[in-house]
Amino acid sequence: EQGECLFLWTDKSFNAFTFVPYLIKERGKIDELTLSTYSINKRILLSFMRLVEAGQIGKMYLLVADSLKHQRPVVTDLLDSFAHSRPQLQVKYAWNHSKIMLAKCGDDHLIVEGSVQDK
């Protein structure tokens, strides 16, 4: 429902990417996807790029922690290469530790926020 909030607690961690195929299955397409995260790995990045290339994600904006350049230089090189060759992808680096995904699917705007909670 519009304005509805759902809160999920898990005993184990999960990746926000888990929700992307679900949204595409339910909505047909993600028109705009904004991700703010401190890290991304090569497998997830390649999965996102396949969805962009297939037209299942229209535009994608990624804000990732600049520390990724030192932690995973291969991933940032690949990310920069994708951003340079694909106009539907924009990438920015900054000090960042957030875990937020914003998705626009038609007229609907969805938010997924992740955080670690102490027990």
Side-chain angles (χ1 to χ4, degrees), residues 14-72:
F14 64 88
N15 188 307
F17 181 77
T18 304
F19 292 99
V20 172
Y22 172 79
L23 286 177
I24 292 170
K25 180 182 174 193
E26 292 297 313
R27 306 298 176 110
K29 177 183 179 183
I30 297 174
D31 299 309
E32 293 182 34
L33 183 66
T34 301
L35 300 170
S36 180
T37 185
Y38 65 93
S39 185
I40 189 167
N41 65 42
K42 184 177 178 181
R43 181 181 61 85
I44 296 297
L45 175 58
L46 293 174
S47 296
F48 274 124
M49 289 302 94
R50 280 192 291 276
L51 295 171
V52 167
E53 290 169 359
Q56 294 176 305
I57 296 174
K59 293 181 182 177
M60 186 169 165
Y61 308 96
L62 181 59
L63 172 63
V64 67
D66 52 10
S67 61
L68 190 69
K69 294 176 182 180
H70 306 291
Q71 295 170 345
R72 295 184 176 159

Side-chain angles (χ1 to χ4, degrees), residues 4-21:
E4 182 177 29
C5 294
L6 300 173
F7 297 92
L8 306 174
W9 281 268
T10 65
D11 290 333
K12 298 182 181 183
S13 66
F14 64 88
N15 188 307
F17 181 77
T18 304
F19 292 99
V20 172

Side-chain angles (χ1 to χ4, degrees), residues 40-42 45 68-82 93:
I40 189 167
N41 65 42
K42 184 177 178 181
L45 175 58
L68 190 69
K69 294 176 182 180
H70 306 291
Q71 295 170 345
R72 295 184 176 159
V74 171
V75 173
T76 55
D77 288 347
L78 189 58
L79 187 54
D80 293 340
S81 174
F82 284 140
Y93 298 95

